[in-house]
Amino acid sequence: MSTAKSWEELQIKDDFLFAKVMRDKKICKKVLEKLLHIKIKDIKYLEEQKAVDITVDAKSVRLDVYIEDGNRVFNVEMQTINQKDLGKRSRYYQGMIDLNTIEKGESYHKLKESYVIFICTFDPFGKERAEYWFENYCEQDRRLKLGDGAKKIFFNTKAYEKEEDINIRAFLKYVNGEESENAFVQEIEEKVEQIKENREWRREYMTLQMREQEIREEYWQKGLKKGREEGLEKGLEKGLEKGLEKGLKKGIQLLIISLKSLHIPEDKIVEQLMTTYQLDRKKAEAYCKDESSQID
């Protein structure tokens, strides 16, 4: 039933490991400098997997890596599931970051230059490019940029061979699951090995995975039991199907409650439901919004 990876199987493309690697200031700085072709004096971590909330009732968004450097802010996301909505998601992230950057009532002049970066293990736009860079410009004269300081960049690991920059090519190849002798990648790989030797982080990851697995198994078994009981009265085949469906629904609902108790926001919960239960996005979002459902 479980699709979760063991601690030993984790790769740089997995959110948990990627976030830990990027907590190393030296590596994080190098990753940003090489991917964006810029120089960074210093970086300030706000939070690992920062949850940005604008109001009490507003939907929150959890950012994998959220960093500031003076008058610039960087949000780096590792994306392994193609939900075909990255354009609007990047817009949403951009808006949340902007609202979080300035205090209520402050001037928009204080907005920082921002980079929303997605490292994708698939081609997000189907053009077989290794990089896709977006800025706002004039439709009548594409040489005229709006100058709003907002940049959205998407990297496609599947097209790493088309990348001209040697370090970016090696990095994308590494994220794609292939080995590389590149010095920059080797530095990241050494950090990955150090992290995997960290017992505290291993325990943290395993605890999260065990909790999710226990919830799934508990309600799967309840579904089987209920199905058998109803099957005795209404016909084994029909009752089993109904019980499985009801038990699965309860399992999903309890998983949502559990993840929300860990302050995991809705967009990440939706991704988890899609991966674990093979739901489409519409059904996964419906479960998250069904706050009136009760757990027996």
Side-chain angles (χ1 to χ4, degrees), residues 203-257:
R203 187 164 51 249
E204 178 185 345
Y205 175 76
M206 296 304 295
T207 299
L208 289 174
Q209 295 305 312
M210 287 175 63
R211 185 171 184 178
E212 293 179 10
Q213 179 66 14
E214 287 171 357
I215 292 171
R216 289 194 294 268
E217 289 183 353
E218 177 183 355
Y219 279 88
W220 179 262
Q221 292 300 324
K222 283 187 176 182
L224 287 173
K225 181 179 179 181
K226 199 169 191 66
R228 293 191 184 100
E229 291 174 351
E230 293 185 8
L232 293 174
E233 299 177 0
K234 302 178 182 179
L236 181 59
E237 183 176 348
K238 184 177 180 180
L240 183 59
E241 181 181 351
K242 183 177 180 181
L244 284 172
E245 181 180 351
K246 188 173 182 179
L248 180 61
K249 181 178 180 180
K250 289 183 179 179
I252 293 174
Q253 291 168 340
L254 192 58
L255 177 58
I256 293 171
I257 292 173

Side-chain angles (χ1 to χ4, degrees), residues 61-268:
V61 56
R62 186 161 295 272
L63 308 178
D64 286 352
V65 181
Y66 186 67
I67 309 153
E68 286 189 358
D69 164 44
N71 199 39
R72 296 180 293 191
V73 59
F74 307 90
N75 167 218
V76 189
E77 300 287 321
M78 188 65 73
Q79 194 71 29
T80 60
I81 301 176
N82 187 1
Q83 299 176 345
K84 304 184 185 301
D85 64 350
L86 285 185
K88 289 187 176 180
R89 176 176 291 200
S90 67
R91 174 184 170 186
Y92 179 66
Y93 283 14
Q94 182 70 62
M96 294 292 279
I97 290 171
D98 286 345
L99 290 174
N100 190 68
T101 298
I102 58 176
E103 297 294 333
K104 185 176 181 180
E106 284 188 330
S107 170
Y108 59 83
H109 291 293
K110 291 189 177 182
L111 285 173
K112 298 184 177 184
E113 182 179 2
S114 63
Y115 295 79
V116 176
I117 306 161
F118 286 89
I119 303 171
C120 305
T121 58
F122 53 87
D123 189 340
F125 302 105
K127 299 298 182 180
E128 299 182 354
R129 295 178 178 275
E131 302 181 27
Y132 299 92
W133 288 63
F134 296 89
E135 289 187 61
N136 293 320
Y137 59 84
C138 176
E139 282 285 352
Q140 289 72 32
D141 183 356
R142 298 198 174 193
R143 294 171 299 177
L144 177 60
K145 295 182 179 180
L146 182 60
D148 58 354
K151 299 177 178 63
K152 303 175 183 69
I153 305 105
F154 303 80
F155 291 93
N156 169 23
T157 67
K158 297 301 181 186
Y160 71 82
E161 293 180 339
K162 296 186 177 181
E163 174 58 54
E164 296 181 359
D165 184 281
I166 186 172
N167 288 310
I168 297 179
R169 181 167 66 247
F171 176 73
L172 296 181
K173 180 180 179 181
Y174 175 61
V175 176
N176 199 49
E178 302 180 42
E179 295 182 356
S180 173
E181 298 299 323
N182 178 273
F184 170 52
V185 169
Q186 285 299 308
E187 186 176 355
I188 297 175
E189 176 62 19
E190 289 177 8
K191 186 63 181 179
V192 167
E193 294 302 320
Q194 292 177 14
I195 290 172
K196 287 191 174 183
E197 293 175 1
N198 188 304
R199 294 183 179 180
E200 181 180 347
W201 286 342
R202 176 191 177 97
R203 187 164 51 249
E204 178 185 345
Y205 175 76
M206 296 304 295
T207 299
L208 289 174
Q209 295 305 312
M210 287 175 63
R211 185 171 184 178
E212 293 179 10
Q213 179 66 14
E214 287 171 357
I215 292 171
R216 289 194 294 268
E217 289 183 353
E218 177 183 355
Y219 279 88
W220 179 262
Q221 292 300 324
K222 283 187 176 182
L224 287 173
K225 181 179 179 181
K226 199 169 191 66
R228 293 191 184 100
E229 291 174 351
E230 293 185 8
L232 293 174
E233 299 177 0
K234 302 178 182 179
L236 181 59
E237 183 176 348
K238 184 177 180 180
L240 183 59
E241 181 181 351
K242 183 177 180 181
L244 284 172
E245 181 180 351
K246 188 173 182 179
L248 180 61
K249 181 178 180 180
K250 289 183 179 179
I252 293 174
Q253 291 168 340
L254 192 58
L255 177 58
I256 293 171
I257 292 173
S258 176
L259 293 177
K260 285 185 176 180
S261 72
L262 296 172
H263 305 294
I264 306 298
E266 186 175 307
D267 63 326
K268 291 293 183 180

Side-chain angles (χ1 to χ4, degrees), residues 27 48 53 123 268:
I27 290 179
E48 179 182 308
D53 295 281
D123 189 340
K268 291 293 183 180

